[in-house]
Amino acid sequence: MSTFEQAYSWINLRFLLEGLWVTLEVSVISIVLSFIIGLILGVIRYVKIKYLSAAVGFLIDIIRNLPLLLIIFFTYFGLPELGLRMTPMLAAVTALVVFESAMLAEIVRSGIQAVPVGQMEGARSSGLTYVQAMWHIIMPQALQKMIPPLVSQFISLVKDTSLATIIVLPELLYHAQIIYSQNTTYMVPMYLMIAVMYFIVCYCLSLVARRLEKRYG
């Protein structure tokens, strides 16, 4: 029996799928939370609320220029020193949400700015309040323009979950490491299978993006 056949036994594949499930779970939770928070932060930056927008912009600039791995380390190893302990799952989600929210906030702000100014002026002249104009006129158009960069960022988020293996999150890469640590000849087969699994997930996201672009573009 070849090394690949042994490496891809049902027991090993099932163990990898368990890791993939954790990866997907962390990814979905992080995507939903970071999109909501990023949307709020992006709008705050765009509307230029006195002091608040500047403070949010300063915080976003700091986070965007920090390595994600550093944020993961701080969340899992640093926060306990301040009295806040987290499980690997919660620490990974928290770090990803903090980092991705900052990235998505800039995408949201850029998307809103890409909508012609005349759209807001026309909405206001028709009797809509500023909030109503933003919600019913500006945001739908902005979201259409945001689809490609948003999906690209979500794909990056899925791949970035692999960094959480450093805090012993039982995700896909961590499970693969456990398998080939028992037999080093499985290392190449495991990395190939990981690549295939990540490709399938990320490619499916890109297909969703293309369909959304065709539908709303």
Side-chain angles (χ1 to χ4, degrees):
M1 185 178 292
S2 68
T3 299
F4 278 81
E5 289 176 329
Q6 293 174 347
Y8 296 149
S9 66
W10 170 241
I11 294 176
N12 288 345
L13 289 177
R14 186 175 62 182
F15 193 60
L16 284 179
L17 289 173
E18 290 174 0
L20 178 61
W21 174 254
V22 174
T23 294
L24 294 175
E25 189 177 2
V26 170
S27 298
V28 170
I29 295 173
S30 300
I31 285 173
V32 172
L33 293 179
S34 61
F35 178 71
I36 294 172
I37 297 173
L39 186 63
I40 294 171
L41 295 178
V43 171
I44 290 175
R45 286 213 66 186
Y46 173 78
V47 298
K48 294 182 173 58
I49 302 172
K50 190 175 183 180
Y51 301 125
L52 179 60
S53 294
V56 168
F58 179 69
L59 184 62
I60 288 173
D61 288 338
I62 291 176
I63 295 174
R64 290 177 68 238
N65 288 284
L66 292 177
L68 175 55
L69 188 59
L70 175 62
I71 299 175
I72 293 174
F73 266 116
F74 177 77
T75 304
Y76 189 69
F77 297 109
L79 291 181
E81 298 297 322
L82 303 176
L84 184 58
R85 295 187 177 278
M86 296 185 180
T87 63
M89 171 76 81
L90 182 57
V93 170
T94 301
L96 285 168
V97 168
V98 168
F99 183 77
E100 296 299 331
S101 294
M103 304 298 288
L104 293 176
E106 286 302 293
I107 294 175
V108 170
R109 183 177 67 88
S110 299
I112 296 174
Q113 287 182 332
V115 178
V117 179
Q119 294 292 315
M120 174 60 78
E121 295 174 349
R124 293 302 302 277
S125 64
S126 66
L128 296 179
T129 65
Y130 186 84
V131 174
Q132 289 174 330
M134 282 292 295
W135 181 257
H136 295 290
I137 305 300
I138 304 302
M139 289 306 299
Q141 297 181 66
L143 286 172
Q144 291 177 17
K145 300 177 183 297
M146 289 183 233
I147 289 174
L150 281 177
V151 175
S152 177
Q153 194 62 43
F154 292 155
I155 291 174
S156 295
L157 187 154
V158 173
K159 293 184 287 188
D160 286 342
T161 57
S162 61
L163 295 175
T165 191
I166 201 70
I167 59 173
V168 201
L169 178 71
E171 45 75 58
L172 180 57
L173 181 59
Y174 184 74
H175 277 215
Q177 290 174 338
I178 291 177
I179 292 173
Y180 69 67
S181 66
Q182 299 172 1
N183 188 333
T184 55
T185 62
Y186 293 171
M187 183 178 292
V188 172
M190 286 300 104
Y191 281 141
L192 287 175
M193 182 55 67
I194 290 173
V196 169
M197 289 182 172
Y198 273 118
F199 172 79
I200 292 173
V201 173
C202 294
Y203 186 68
C204 287
L205 279 174
S206 66
L207 289 179
V208 171
R210 292 176 190 173
R211 177 162 293 187
L212 289 174
E213 283 186 82
K214 289 180 179 178
R215 183 171 181 178
Y216 299 107

